[in-house]
Amino acid sequence: MGRATKVVLAYSGGVDTSVCIPYLKEEWGVEDVITLAADLGQGEELGPIKEKALTSGASISLVEDVTEIFVKDYAFPAIQANALYENRYPLGTALARPLIAKILVEAAEKYGADAVAHGCTGKGNDQVRFDVSIAALNPNIKVLAPAREWGMSREETIAYGEKFGIPTPVKKSSPYSIDRNLLGRSVEAGPLEDPWTEAEEEIYLMTKAIADTPDQPEYVEITFEQGLPTHVNGKALSPVALITELNDVVGRHGVGRIDMIENRLVGIKSREIYESPALLVLIQAHRDIESLTLTKDVTQYKRGIEETYSQMVYNGQWYSPLKMALDAFIEKTQERVSGTVRIKLFKGTANIVGRKSNESLYAPDLATYGADDTFDHKAAEGFIYVWGLPTRIWSEKVRGN
Ligand code: ARG
């Protein structure tokens, strides 16, 4: 008896997931391997992947375009949550994993598979995100992770694949490990493993080097309705078109790069380079329109929720009860988060230079320093007396009078 009879394998077309196909069959006694490649708007032709899976021994090869769901149901809620892991990483890779887990489980149910599989190793966050999401969606489905157990080096993996007709990568394989989708690119390994080594310019594909950016600033206006981005420069765009457009505009001004050391869930620190132009600017703009439309206490309380939310997404808890409860909180806060933010892009910077909203809580007659000021200055005195009373009493005590 093998570990499973029929398996749906998350498939990228790379050597590792290709080798998973014969490995599952030969070493673990799986009879049927169905591959599933998710199109997340990575801008890559997935047709050849289909063929590749079949020649590598898959019985069925599925490609599913889930780009729109990815943006609407995964990226947009994260924008409403202003989600930045460790205050910097907008979670482009992390957000894709629960969606891939979902379509894996759906395919397993549809094709009557008793297990799903992925090609993650035992050191990363992605294995956690897959395994925990799958358990949340269908706890009866087994998860197989061959690369977590096989202990083969890169060379051994390639050699193993060759025995089963999996071609050796033609071009000298890049030293980098790269994950990409419509939201961005995550690049690690190779020379980047030394945190002191500057990333080579060639690793960036979505963002221009400052030397190649336009010499004139460009203004872009982003409109939000109930916390969701709907228009760019006054033009209504579908979620996918909006992200695509902003990636382009923002990236060409060299905005959207992050070079960071992050703390993985498994306890390791790792150095990652991200580029995520649209998502970063959208979070910045969203936070700004919130500053105009949310009350002081909601704004400040939400910061803590956002921190927890970001950690939960990073740590693979997308489908957990606390995460869903936080979703409900965040959604409630977004009811009046509507308006337009104006951003100036120039030479690697994105600065918000204006914002407006019909839901604005900014009261000009209270804020003004001019003659039409309506704020009751005298009322401040009594307020300050009460506000400062505990501190006054403490000070008198400490000073002994
Ligand atoms: N560290 C990022 C995360 O955990 C990206 C992981 C994938 N990165 C990669 N270069 N393969 O979300």
Side-chain angles (χ1 to χ4, degrees), residues 89 93-94 125-126 129 177-179 186-188 262 272 274 314:
Y89 164 41
T93 294
N125 298 311
D126 286 332
R129 298 171 184 148
S177 159
I178 301 169
D179 178 63
S186 309
V187 186
E188 63 178 335
E262 73 189 35
E272 285 270 5
Y274 297 106
Y314 187 87

Side-chain angles (χ1 to χ4, degrees), residues 236-364:
L237 293 173
S238 74
V240 171
L242 186 135
I243 299 281
T244 307
E245 164 94 3
L246 282 178
N247 272 336
D248 194 45
V249 176
V250 173
R252 82 170 166 254
H253 288 276
V255 172
R257 296 181 178 184
I258 301 157
D259 176 340
M260 70 184 281
I261 306 294
E262 73 189 35
N263 291 293
R264 286 191 193 163
L265 179 57
V266 294
I268 303 167
K269 282 192 190 295
S270 67
R271 200 273 187 95
E272 285 270 5
I273 305 285
Y274 297 106
E275 43 180 2
S276 201
L279 197 52
L280 279 171
V281 162
L282 280 165
I283 291 170
Q284 188 185 355
H286 176 262
R287 182 169 272 157
D288 197 272
I289 201 68
E290 283 191 334
S291 71
L292 193 64
T293 56
L294 295 182
T295 58
K296 174 179 175 175
D297 56 357
V298 173
T299 304
Q300 296 184 354
Y301 190 84
K302 186 167 177 279
R303 291 301 296 267
I305 300 289
E306 292 170 3
E307 178 63 23
T308 307
Y309 180 98
S310 307
Q311 288 176 13
M312 296 194 80
V313 173
Y314 187 87
N315 292 335
Q317 293 165 297
W318 184 268
Y319 301 112
S320 72
L322 176 57
K323 153 71 174 51
M324 290 189 274
L326 299 185
D327 282 334
F329 171 85
I330 292 164
E331 204 187 321
K332 181 70 188 165
T333 64
Q334 300 299 295
E335 284 174 353
R336 302 174 74 83
V337 180
S338 303
T340 299
V341 175
R342 189 160 186 254
I343 301 154
K344 183 178 184 175
L345 300 163
F346 187 54
K347 295 284 171 203
T349 62
N351 288 306
I352 292 171
V353 294
R355 70 284 284 160
K356 60 178 179 184
S357 168
N358 290 336
E359 313 296 338
S360 174
L361 300 177
Y362 180 87

Side-chain angles (χ1 to χ4, degrees), residues 201-216:
E201 191 52 42
E202 65 179 35
I203 72 162
Y204 297 103
L205 294 183
M206 301 175 80
T207 53
K208 284 264 190 304
I210 301 299
D212 301 328
T213 59
D215 290 322
Q216 293 301 321

Side-chain angles (χ1 to χ4, degrees), residues 385-399:
Y385 171 75
V386 174
W387 172 249
L389 196 51
T391 307
R392 172 181 298 275
I393 293 167
W394 165 83
S395 180
E396 286 169 357
K397 183 78 191 172
V398 169
R399 282 166 181 74

